[in-house]
PDB file of all heavy atoms in Angstrom:
ATOM      1  N   LYS A 539       5.879  -4.676  -7.284  1.00 72.00           N
ATOM      2  CA  LYS A 539       4.574  -5.309  -7.101  1.00 72.00           C
ATOM      3  C   LYS A 539       3.614  -4.384  -6.371  1.00 72.00           C
ATOM      4  O   LYS A 539       2.444  -4.242  -6.750  1.00 72.00           O
ATOM      5  CB  LYS A 539       4.742  -6.618  -6.326  1.00 72.00           C
ATOM      6  CG  LYS A 539       3.444  -7.385  -6.116  1.00 72.00           C
ATOM      7  CD  LYS A 539       3.702  -8.669  -5.348  1.00 72.00           C
ATOM      8  CE  LYS A 539       2.398  -9.437  -5.134  1.00 72.00           C
ATOM      9  NZ  LYS A 539       2.632 -10.683  -4.351  1.00 72.00           N
ATOM     10  N   LEU A 540       4.099  -3.718  -5.318  1.00 72.00           N
ATOM     11  CA  LEU A 540       3.248  -2.806  -4.559  1.00 72.00           C
ATOM     12  C   LEU A 540       2.831  -1.604  -5.403  1.00 72.00           C
ATOM     13  O   LEU A 540       1.681  -1.158  -5.341  1.00 72.00           O
ATOM     14  CB  LEU A 540       3.973  -2.341  -3.301  1.00 72.00           C
ATOM     15  CG  LEU A 540       4.169  -3.404  -2.208  1.00 72.00           C
ATOM     16  CD1 LEU A 540       5.071  -2.872  -1.106  1.00 72.00           C
ATOM     17  CD2 LEU A 540       2.830  -3.839  -1.633  1.00 72.00           C
ATOM     18  N   LEU A 541       3.755  -1.073  -6.178  1.00 72.00           N
ATOM     19  CA  LEU A 541       3.428   0.061  -7.044  1.00 72.00           C
ATOM     20  C   LEU A 541       2.367  -0.316  -8.061  1.00 72.00           C
ATOM     21  O   LEU A 541       1.487   0.481  -8.400  1.00 72.00           O
ATOM     22  CB  LEU A 541       4.689   0.566  -7.743  1.00 72.00           C
ATOM     23  CG  LEU A 541       5.732   1.237  -6.837  1.00 72.00           C
ATOM     24  CD1 LEU A 541       7.005   1.540  -7.616  1.00 72.00           C
ATOM     25  CD2 LEU A 541       5.179   2.512  -6.213  1.00 72.00           C
ATOM     26  N   ARG A 542       2.418  -1.539  -8.558  1.00 72.00           N
ATOM     27  CA  ARG A 542       1.416  -2.001  -9.517  1.00 72.00           C
ATOM     28  C   ARG A 542       0.058  -2.184  -8.860  1.00 72.00           C
ATOM     29  O   ARG A 542      -0.969  -2.120  -9.530  1.00 72.00           O
ATOM     30  CB  ARG A 542       1.869  -3.319 -10.149  1.00 72.00           C
ATOM     31  CG  ARG A 542       3.001  -3.150 -11.162  1.00 72.00           C
ATOM     32  CD  ARG A 542       3.484  -4.489 -11.665  1.00 72.00           C
ATOM     33  NE  ARG A 542       4.497  -4.344 -12.718  1.00 72.00           N
ATOM     34  CZ  ARG A 542       5.210  -5.349 -13.213  1.00 72.00           C
ATOM     35  NH1 ARG A 542       5.031  -6.584 -12.739  1.00 72.00           N
ATOM     36  NH2 ARG A 542       6.094  -5.127 -14.159  1.00 72.00           N
ATOM     37  N   HIS A 543       0.052  -2.432  -7.552  1.00 69.00           N
ATOM     38  CA  HIS A 543      -1.201  -2.658  -6.843  1.00 69.00           C
ATOM     39  C   HIS A 543      -1.798  -1.359  -6.297  1.00 69.00           C
ATOM     40  O   HIS A 543      -2.725  -1.403  -5.482  1.00 69.00           O
ATOM     41  CB  HIS A 543      -0.983  -3.650  -5.696  1.00 69.00           C
ATOM     42  CG  HIS A 543      -0.982  -5.088  -6.136  1.00 69.00           C
ATOM     43  ND1 HIS A 543       0.074  -5.643  -6.821  1.00 69.00           N
ATOM     44  CD2 HIS A 543      -1.913  -6.065  -6.021  1.00 69.00           C
ATOM     45  CE1 HIS A 543      -0.189  -6.917  -7.085  1.00 69.00           C
ATOM     46  NE2 HIS A 543      -1.385  -7.192  -6.610  1.00 69.00           N
ATOM     47  N   GLY A 544      -1.277  -0.223  -6.700  1.00 73.00           N
ATOM     48  CA  GLY A 544      -1.910   1.032  -6.316  1.00 73.00           C
ATOM     49  C   GLY A 544      -1.231   1.778  -5.199  1.00 73.00           C
ATOM     50  O   GLY A 544      -1.830   2.684  -4.602  1.00 73.00           O
ATOM     51  N   VAL A 545       0.019   1.416  -4.872  1.00 83.00           N
ATOM     52  CA  VAL A 545       0.769   2.164  -3.867  1.00 83.00           C
ATOM     53  C   VAL A 545       1.479   3.325  -4.545  1.00 83.00           C
ATOM     54  O   VAL A 545       2.094   3.155  -5.597  1.00 83.00           O
ATOM     55  CB  VAL A 545       1.798   1.249  -3.164  1.00 83.00           C
ATOM     56  CG1 VAL A 545       2.717   2.060  -2.260  1.00 83.00           C
ATOM     57  CG2 VAL A 545       1.071   0.178  -2.358  1.00 83.00           C
ATOM     58  N   GLN A 546       1.386   4.519  -3.953  1.00 80.00           N
ATOM     59  CA  GLN A 546       1.973   5.702  -4.581  1.00 80.00           C
ATOM     60  C   GLN A 546       3.444   5.920  -4.220  1.00 80.00           C
ATOM     61  O   GLN A 546       4.185   6.524  -4.980  1.00 80.00           O
ATOM     62  CB  GLN A 546       1.172   6.956  -4.187  1.00 80.00           C
ATOM     63  CG  GLN A 546      -0.091   7.172  -5.002  1.00 80.00           C
ATOM     64  CD  GLN A 546      -1.130   6.097  -4.778  1.00 80.00           C
ATOM     65  OE1 GLN A 546      -1.329   5.660  -3.657  1.00 80.00           O
ATOM     66  NE2 GLN A 546      -1.783   5.669  -5.841  1.00 80.00           N
ATOM     67  N   ASP A 547       3.870   5.437  -3.045  1.00 81.00           N
ATOM     68  CA  ASP A 547       5.256   5.656  -2.649  1.00 81.00           C
ATOM     69  C   ASP A 547       5.697   4.538  -1.718  1.00 81.00           C
ATOM     70  O   ASP A 547       4.877   3.759  -1.208  1.00 81.00           O
ATOM     71  CB  ASP A 547       5.411   7.016  -1.963  1.00 81.00           C
ATOM     72  CG  ASP A 547       6.799   7.609  -2.187  1.00 81.00           C
ATOM     73  OD1 ASP A 547       7.719   6.849  -2.540  1.00 81.00           O
ATOM     74  OD2 ASP A 547       6.949   8.831  -2.014  1.00 81.00           O
ATOM     75  N   TYR A 548       7.015   4.503  -1.467  1.00 78.00           N
ATOM     76  CA  TYR A 548       7.635   3.371  -0.803  1.00 78.00           C
ATOM     77  C   TYR A 548       8.843   3.886  -0.018  1.00 78.00           C
ATOM     78  O   TYR A 548       9.702   4.550  -0.575  1.00 78.00           O
ATOM     79  CB  TYR A 548       8.072   2.384  -1.892  1.00 78.00           C
ATOM     80  CG  TYR A 548       8.470   1.008  -1.444  1.00 78.00           C
ATOM     81  CD1 TYR A 548       7.560  -0.019  -1.447  1.00 78.00           C
ATOM     82  CD2 TYR A 548       9.775   0.726  -1.069  1.00 78.00           C
ATOM     83  CE1 TYR A 548       7.917  -1.304  -1.077  1.00 78.00           C
ATOM     84  CE2 TYR A 548      10.154  -0.550  -0.692  1.00 78.00           C
ATOM     85  CZ  TYR A 548       9.219  -1.562  -0.690  1.00 78.00           C
ATOM     86  OH  TYR A 548       9.589  -2.821  -0.323  1.00 78.00           O
ATOM     87  N   LEU A 549       8.888   3.626   1.288  1.00 83.00           N
ATOM     88  CA  LEU A 549       9.983   4.104   2.124  1.00 83.00           C
ATOM     89  C   LEU A 549      10.657   2.941   2.843  1.00 83.00           C
ATOM     90  O   LEU A 549       9.981   2.042   3.357  1.00 83.00           O
ATOM     91  CB  LEU A 549       9.472   5.097   3.163  1.00 83.00           C
ATOM     92  CG  LEU A 549       9.227   6.535   2.705  1.00 83.00           C
ATOM     93  CD1 LEU A 549       8.532   7.315   3.806  1.00 83.00           C
ATOM     94  CD2 LEU A 549      10.537   7.201   2.334  1.00 83.00           C
ATOM     95  N   HIS A 550      11.993   2.976   2.872  1.00 81.00           N
ATOM     96  CA  HIS A 550      12.748   1.950   3.584  1.00 81.00           C
ATOM     97  C   HIS A 550      13.016   2.390   5.017  1.00 81.00           C
ATOM     98  O   HIS A 550      13.270   3.559   5.295  1.00 81.00           O
ATOM     99  CB  HIS A 550      14.092   1.696   2.886  1.00 81.00           C
ATOM    100  CG  HIS A 550      13.959   1.009   1.564  1.00 81.00           C
ATOM    101  ND1 HIS A 550      13.586  -0.308   1.442  1.00 81.00           N
ATOM    102  CD2 HIS A 550      14.137   1.466   0.303  1.00 81.00           C
ATOM    103  CE1 HIS A 550      13.555  -0.633   0.165  1.00 81.00           C
ATOM    104  NE2 HIS A 550      13.867   0.428  -0.552  1.00 81.00           N
ATOM    105  N   LYS A 551      12.920   1.449   5.931  1.00 82.00           N
ATOM    106  CA  LYS A 551      13.324   1.699   7.308  1.00 82.00           C
ATOM    107  C   LYS A 551      14.810   1.361   7.436  1.00 82.00           C
ATOM    108  O   LYS A 551      15.262   0.364   6.869  1.00 82.00           O
ATOM    109  CB  LYS A 551      12.528   0.819   8.267  1.00 82.00           C
ATOM    110  CG  LYS A 551      11.032   1.045   8.257  1.00 82.00           C
ATOM    111  CD  LYS A 551      10.369   0.042   9.189  1.00 82.00           C
ATOM    112  CE  LYS A 551       8.851   0.188   9.184  1.00 82.00           C
ATOM    113  NZ  LYS A 551       8.200  -0.832  10.032  1.00 82.00           N
ATOM    114  N   PRO A 552      15.579   2.146   8.205  1.00 82.00           N
ATOM    115  CA  PRO A 552      15.163   3.356   8.928  1.00 82.00           C
ATOM    116  C   PRO A 552      15.091   4.560   7.993  1.00 82.00           C
ATOM    117  O   PRO A 552      15.727   4.579   6.954  1.00 82.00           O
ATOM    118  CB  PRO A 552      16.265   3.530   9.961  1.00 82.00           C
ATOM    119  CG  PRO A 552      17.470   2.963   9.295  1.00 82.00           C
ATOM    120  CD  PRO A 552      16.987   1.805   8.475  1.00 82.00           C
ATOM    121  N   PHE A 553      14.299   5.538   8.387  1.00 84.00           N
ATOM    122  CA  PHE A 553      14.122   6.743   7.589  1.00 84.00           C
ATOM    123  C   PHE A 553      14.175   7.951   8.512  1.00 84.00           C
ATOM    124  O   PHE A 553      14.105   7.811   9.742  1.00 84.00           O
ATOM    125  CB  PHE A 553      12.780   6.713   6.857  1.00 84.00           C
ATOM    126  CG  PHE A 553      11.639   6.330   7.743  1.00 84.00           C
ATOM    127  CD1 PHE A 553      11.080   7.238   8.616  1.00 84.00           C
ATOM    128  CD2 PHE A 553      11.138   5.036   7.726  1.00 84.00           C
ATOM    129  CE1 PHE A 553      10.031   6.884   9.458  1.00 84.00           C
ATOM    130  CE2 PHE A 553      10.098   4.675   8.562  1.00 84.00           C
ATOM    131  CZ  PHE A 553       9.536   5.590   9.429  1.00 84.00           C
ATOM    132  N   ILE A 554      14.307   9.110   7.942  1.00 86.00           N
ATOM    133  CA  ILE A 554      14.311  10.336   8.736  1.00 86.00           C
ATOM    134  C   ILE A 554      12.952  11.011   8.611  1.00 86.00           C
ATOM    135  O   ILE A 554      12.263  10.884   7.596  1.00 86.00           O
ATOM    136  CB  ILE A 554      15.438  11.296   8.314  1.00 86.00           C
ATOM    137  CG1 ILE A 554      15.278  11.700   6.839  1.00 86.00           C
ATOM    138  CG2 ILE A 554      16.798  10.671   8.555  1.00 86.00           C
ATOM    139  CD1 ILE A 554      16.310  12.727   6.401  1.00 86.00           C
ATOM    140  N   VAL A 555      12.560  11.706   9.659  1.00 88.00           N
ATOM    141  CA  VAL A 555      11.227  12.328   9.712  1.00 88.00           C
ATOM    142  C   VAL A 555      11.027  13.298   8.560  1.00 88.00           C
ATOM    143  O   VAL A 555       9.949  13.358   7.956  1.00 88.00           O
ATOM    144  CB  VAL A 555      11.035  13.052  11.061  1.00 88.00           C
ATOM    145  CG1 VAL A 555       9.713  13.828  11.063  1.00 88.00           C
ATOM    146  CG2 VAL A 555      11.059  12.054  12.198  1.00 88.00           C
ATOM    147  N   GLU A 556      12.075  14.081   8.239  1.00 89.00           N
ATOM    148  CA  GLU A 556      11.949  15.071   7.172  1.00 89.00           C
ATOM    149  C   GLU A 556      11.561  14.415   5.844  1.00 89.00           C
ATOM    150  O   GLU A 556      10.793  14.987   5.058  1.00 89.00           O
ATOM    151  CB  GLU A 556      13.252  15.857   7.019  1.00 89.00           C
ATOM    152  CG  GLU A 556      13.523  16.853   8.125  1.00 89.00           C
ATOM    153  CD  GLU A 556      13.956  16.189   9.408  1.00 89.00           C
ATOM    154  OE1 GLU A 556      14.270  14.974   9.375  1.00 89.00           O
ATOM    155  OE2 GLU A 556      13.982  16.864  10.455  1.00 89.00           O
ATOM    156  N   GLU A 557      12.090  13.234   5.584  1.00 88.00           N
ATOM    157  CA  GLU A 557      11.758  12.552   4.323  1.00 88.00           C
ATOM    158  C   GLU A 557      10.300  12.110   4.323  1.00 88.00           C
ATOM    159  O   GLU A 557       9.591  12.249   3.316  1.00 88.00           O
ATOM    160  CB  GLU A 557      12.668  11.345   4.117  1.00 88.00           C
ATOM    161  CG  GLU A 557      12.398  10.618   2.803  1.00 88.00           C
ATOM    162  CD  GLU A 557      13.302   9.423   2.590  1.00 88.00           C
ATOM    163  OE1 GLU A 557      14.007   9.014   3.536  1.00 88.00           O
ATOM    164  OE2 GLU A 557      13.311   8.898   1.458  1.00 88.00           O
ATOM    165  N   VAL A 558       9.840  11.567   5.446  1.00 89.00           N
ATOM    166  CA  VAL A 558       8.440  11.150   5.544  1.00 89.00           C
ATOM    167  C   VAL A 558       7.519  12.341   5.334  1.00 89.00           C
ATOM    168  O   VAL A 558       6.563  12.286   4.547  1.00 89.00           O
ATOM    169  CB  VAL A 558       8.150  10.500   6.910  1.00 89.00           C
ATOM    170  CG1 VAL A 558       6.665  10.154   7.034  1.00 89.00           C
ATOM    171  CG2 VAL A 558       8.990   9.254   7.087  1.00 89.00           C
ATOM    172  N   LEU A 559       7.800  13.444   6.019  1.00 91.00           N
ATOM    173  CA  LEU A 559       6.952  14.634   5.900  1.00 91.00           C
ATOM    174  C   LEU A 559       6.968  15.184   4.476  1.00 91.00           C
ATOM    175  O   LEU A 559       5.933  15.623   3.958  1.00 91.00           O
ATOM    176  CB  LEU A 559       7.416  15.705   6.880  1.00 91.00           C
ATOM    177  CG  LEU A 559       7.235  15.381   8.365  1.00 91.00           C
ATOM    178  CD1 LEU A 559       7.831  16.478   9.227  1.00 91.00           C
ATOM    179  CD2 LEU A 559       5.760  15.194   8.696  1.00 91.00           C
ATOM    180  N   ALA A 560       8.135  15.158   3.830  1.00 91.00           N
ATOM    181  CA  ALA A 560       8.235  15.689   2.470  1.00 91.00           C
ATOM    182  C   ALA A 560       7.421  14.852   1.496  1.00 91.00           C
ATOM    183  O   ALA A 560       6.707  15.390   0.645  1.00 91.00           O
ATOM    184  CB  ALA A 560       9.703  15.733   2.037  1.00 91.00           C
ATOM    185  N   ARG A 561       7.523  13.534   1.614  1.00 89.00           N
ATOM    186  CA  ARG A 561       6.782  12.669   0.687  1.00 89.00           C
ATOM    187  C   ARG A 561       5.282  12.738   0.933  1.00 89.00           C
ATOM    188  O   ARG A 561       4.488  12.758  -0.010  1.00 89.00           O
ATOM    189  CB  ARG A 561       7.291  11.237   0.813  1.00 89.00           C
ATOM    190  CG  ARG A 561       8.756  11.095   0.452  1.00 89.00           C
ATOM    191  CD  ARG A 561       9.071   9.704  -0.003  1.00 89.00           C
ATOM    192  NE  ARG A 561      10.502   9.530  -0.258  1.00 89.00           N
ATOM    193  CZ  ARG A 561      11.018   8.503  -0.885  1.00 89.00           C
ATOM    194  NH1 ARG A 561      10.229   7.554  -1.347  1.00 89.00           N
ATOM    195  NH2 ARG A 561      12.317   8.399  -1.072  1.00 89.00           N
ATOM    196  N   VAL A 562       4.896  12.777   2.194  1.00 91.00           N
ATOM    197  CA  VAL A 562       3.480  12.897   2.525  1.00 91.00           C
ATOM    198  C   VAL A 562       2.925  14.219   2.004  1.00 91.00           C
ATOM    199  O   VAL A 562       1.847  14.268   1.391  1.00 91.00           O
ATOM    200  CB  VAL A 562       3.273  12.784   4.048  1.00 91.00           C
ATOM    201  CG1 VAL A 562       1.859  13.227   4.442  1.00 91.00           C
ATOM    202  CG2 VAL A 562       3.507  11.350   4.506  1.00 91.00           C
ATOM    203  N   SER A 563       3.661  15.305   2.222  1.00 90.00           N
ATOM    204  CA  SER A 563       3.218  16.621   1.757  1.00 90.00           C
ATOM    205  C   SER A 563       3.069  16.644   0.237  1.00 90.00           C
ATOM    206  O   SER A 563       2.098  17.189  -0.293  1.00 90.00           O
ATOM    207  CB  SER A 563       4.198  17.696   2.209  1.00 90.00           C
ATOM    208  OG  SER A 563       3.835  18.957   1.695  1.00 90.00           O
ATOM    209  N   GLY A 564       4.042  16.048  -0.469  1.00 89.00           N
ATOM    210  CA  GLY A 564       3.982  16.029  -1.929  1.00 89.00           C
ATOM    211  C   GLY A 564       2.779  15.275  -2.449  1.00 89.00           C
ATOM    212  O   GLY A 564       2.089  15.730  -3.373  1.00 89.00           O
ATOM    213  N   LEU A 565       2.490  14.123  -1.855  1.00 89.00           N
ATOM    214  CA  LEU A 565       1.343  13.323  -2.296  1.00 89.00           C
ATOM    215  C   LEU A 565       0.022  14.022  -1.989  1.00 89.00           C
ATOM    216  O   LEU A 565      -0.910  13.992  -2.799  1.00 89.00           O
ATOM    217  CB  LEU A 565       1.377  11.951  -1.633  1.00 89.00           C
ATOM    218  CG  LEU A 565       2.441  10.986  -2.150  1.00 89.00           C
ATOM    219  CD1 LEU A 565       2.508   9.738  -1.288  1.00 89.00           C
ATOM    220  CD2 LEU A 565       2.160  10.599  -3.608  1.00 89.00           C
ATOM    221  N   LEU A 566      -0.078  14.646  -0.820  1.00 89.00           N
ATOM    222  CA  LEU A 566      -1.311  15.353  -0.468  1.00 89.00           C
ATOM    223  C   LEU A 566      -1.532  16.559  -1.371  1.00 89.00           C
ATOM    224  O   LEU A 566      -2.671  16.853  -1.766  1.00 89.00           O
ATOM    225  CB  LEU A 566      -1.261  15.790   0.996  1.00 89.00           C
ATOM    226  CG  LEU A 566      -1.373  14.660   2.021  1.00 89.00           C
ATOM    227  CD1 LEU A 566      -1.138  15.205   3.426  1.00 89.00           C
ATOM    228  CD2 LEU A 566      -2.743  13.989   1.938  1.00 89.00           C
ATOM    229  N   THR A 567      -0.450  17.256  -1.704  1.00 88.00           N
ATOM    230  CA  THR A 567      -0.576  18.403  -2.614  1.00 88.00           C
ATOM    231  C   THR A 567      -1.056  17.962  -3.985  1.00 88.00           C
ATOM    232  O   THR A 567      -1.946  18.587  -4.581  1.00 88.00           O
ATOM    233  CB  THR A 567       0.783  19.124  -2.747  1.00 88.00           C
ATOM    234  OG1 THR A 567       1.189  19.613  -1.462  1.00 88.00           O
ATOM    235  CG2 THR A 567       0.680  20.290  -3.714  1.00 88.00           C
ATOM    236  N   GLU A 568      -0.491  16.880  -4.500  1.00 86.00           N
ATOM    237  CA  GLU A 568      -0.906  16.369  -5.805  1.00 86.00           C
ATOM    238  C   GLU A 568      -2.350  15.892  -5.768  1.00 86.00           C
ATOM    239  O   GLU A 568      -3.105  16.101  -6.718  1.00 86.00           O
ATOM    240  CB  GLU A 568       0.013  15.215  -6.225  1.00 86.00           C
ATOM    241  CG  GLU A 568      -0.320  14.625  -7.590  1.00 86.00           C
ATOM    242  CD  GLU A 568      -0.258  15.650  -8.709  1.00 86.00           C
ATOM    243  OE1 GLU A 568       0.530  16.608  -8.600  1.00 86.00           O
ATOM    244  OE2 GLU A 568      -1.018  15.489  -9.689  1.00 86.00           O
ATOM    245  N   ARG A 569      -2.760  15.286  -4.646  1.00 83.00           N
ATOM    246  CA  ARG A 569      -4.148  14.840  -4.530  1.00 83.00           C
ATOM    247  C   ARG A 569      -5.104  16.025  -4.531  1.00 83.00           C
ATOM    248  O   ARG A 569      -6.165  15.989  -5.162  1.00 83.00           O
ATOM    249  CB  ARG A 569      -4.339  14.020  -3.254  1.00 83.00           C
ATOM    250  CG  ARG A 569      -5.744  13.434  -3.110  1.00 83.00           C
ATOM    251  CD  ARG A 569      -5.815  12.486  -1.934  1.00 83.00           C
ATOM    252  NE  ARG A 569      -7.085  11.782  -1.946  1.00 83.00           N
ATOM    253  CZ  ARG A 569      -8.122  12.101  -1.164  1.00 83.00           C
ATOM    254  NH1 ARG A 569      -8.036  13.127  -0.339  1.00 83.00           N
ATOM    255  NH2 ARG A 569      -9.244  11.402  -1.211  1.00 83.00           N
ATOM    256  N   ARG A 570      -4.745  17.096  -3.823  1.00 85.00           N
ATOM    257  CA  ARG A 570      -5.600  18.296  -3.812  1.00 85.00           C
ATOM    258  C   ARG A 570      -5.715  18.885  -5.209  1.00 85.00           C
ATOM    259  O   ARG A 570      -6.804  19.331  -5.611  1.00 85.00           O
ATOM    260  CB  ARG A 570      -5.043  19.330  -2.831  1.00 85.00           C
ATOM    261  CG  ARG A 570      -5.292  18.994  -1.367  1.00 85.00           C
ATOM    262  CD  ARG A 570      -4.989  20.179  -0.471  1.00 85.00           C
ATOM    263  NE  ARG A 570      -3.567  20.457  -0.436  1.00 85.00           N
ATOM    264  CZ  ARG A 570      -2.734  19.942   0.470  1.00 85.00           C
ATOM    265  NH1 ARG A 570      -3.192  19.120   1.387  1.00 85.00           N
ATOM    266  NH2 ARG A 570      -1.458  20.250   0.458  1.00 85.00           N
ATOM    267  N   ARG A 571      -4.613  18.887  -5.961  1.00 86.00           N
ATOM    268  CA  ARG A 571      -4.673  19.394  -7.329  1.00 86.00           C
ATOM    269  C   ARG A 571      -5.578  18.530  -8.186  1.00 86.00           C
ATOM    270  O   ARG A 571      -6.380  19.041  -8.987  1.00 86.00           O
ATOM    271  CB  ARG A 571      -3.264  19.424  -7.927  1.00 86.00           C
ATOM    272  CG  ARG A 571      -2.343  20.493  -7.322  1.00 86.00           C
ATOM    273  CD  ARG A 571      -0.933  20.318  -7.834  1.00 86.00           C
ATOM    274  NE  ARG A 571      -0.022  21.320  -7.264  1.00 86.00           N
ATOM    275  CZ  ARG A 571       1.294  21.256  -7.358  1.00 86.00           C
ATOM    276  NH1 ARG A 571       1.867  20.236  -8.010  1.00 86.00           N
ATOM    277  NH2 ARG A 571       2.050  22.189  -6.814  1.00 86.00           N
ATOM    278  N   THR A 572      -5.457  17.216  -8.034  1.00 81.00           N
ATOM    279  CA  THR A 572      -6.292  16.306  -8.820  1.00 81.00           C
ATOM    280  C   THR A 572      -7.763  16.486  -8.486  1.00 81.00           C
ATOM    281  O   THR A 572      -8.614  16.541  -9.380  1.00 81.00           O
ATOM    282  CB  THR A 572      -5.876  14.848  -8.561  1.00 81.00           C
ATOM    283  OG1 THR A 572      -4.494  14.680  -8.916  1.00 81.00           O
ATOM    284  CG2 THR A 572      -6.730  13.884  -9.370  1.00 81.00           C
ATOM    285  N   VAL A 573      -8.059  16.580  -7.182  1.00 80.00           N
ATOM    286  CA  VAL A 573      -9.447  16.777  -6.762  1.00 80.00           C
ATOM    287  C   VAL A 573      -9.988  18.091  -7.303  1.00 80.00           C
ATOM    288  O   VAL A 573     -11.133  18.171  -7.765  1.00 80.00           O
ATOM    289  CB  VAL A 573      -9.547  16.745  -5.224  1.00 80.00           C
ATOM    290  CG1 VAL A 573     -10.937  17.179  -4.765  1.00 80.00           C
ATOM    291  CG2 VAL A 573      -9.245  15.345  -4.706  1.00 80.00           C
ATOM    292  N   SER A 574      -9.159  19.145  -7.281  1.00 81.00           N
ATOM    293  CA  SER A 574      -9.585  20.441  -7.790  1.00 81.00           C
ATOM    294  C   SER A 574      -9.885  20.375  -9.282  1.00 81.00           C
ATOM    295  O   SER A 574     -10.901  20.908  -9.753  1.00 81.00           O
ATOM    296  CB  SER A 574      -8.509  21.496  -7.523  1.00 81.00           C
ATOM    297  OG  SER A 574      -8.873  22.746  -8.064  1.00 81.00           O
ATOM    298  N   ARG A 575      -8.999  19.687 -10.032  1.00 83.00           N
ATOM    299  CA  ARG A 575      -9.243  19.550 -11.476  1.00 83.00           C
ATOM    300  C   ARG A 575     -10.510  18.758 -11.744  1.00 83.00           C
ATOM    301  O   ARG A 575     -11.288  19.097 -12.652  1.00 83.00           O
ATOM    302  CB  ARG A 575      -8.041  18.876 -12.138  1.00 83.00           C
ATOM    303  CG  ARG A 575      -6.806  19.771 -12.242  1.00 83.00           C
ATOM    304  CD  ARG A 575      -5.791  19.176 -13.178  1.00 83.00           C
ATOM    305  NE  ARG A 575      -5.229  17.939 -12.658  1.00 83.00           N
ATOM    306  CZ  ARG A 575      -4.102  17.849 -11.972  1.00 83.00           C
ATOM    307  NH1 ARG A 575      -3.417  18.950 -11.689  1.00 83.00           N
ATOM    308  NH2 ARG A 575      -3.659  16.684 -11.556  1.00 83.00           N
TER     309      ARG A 575
END
């Protein structure tokens, strides 16, 4: 339901910091590419 409403990713608690940073970095990189295009 959340993905259909415009959420790009979904994390379960508890999580590790490395996973949060990796997913955030990936989404920001893709956004920069989209903005550039």
Side-chain angles (χ1 to χ4, degrees):
K539 182 180 180 181
L540 290 172
L541 292 173
R542 286 175 175 171
H543 279 74
V545 172
Q546 279 66 40
D547 210 341
Y548 193 95
L549 280 172
H550 290 289
K551 298 176 182 177
F553 48 78
I554 60 176
V555 174
E556 287 74 12
E557 182 180 11
V558 176
L559 293 176
R561 298 205 184 193
V562 167
S563 176
L565 287 172
L566 289 173
T567 299
E568 181 58 30
R569 184 172 189 259
R570 285 192 291 268
R571 290 172 181 168
T572 301
V573 171
S574 177
R575 287 194 293 265

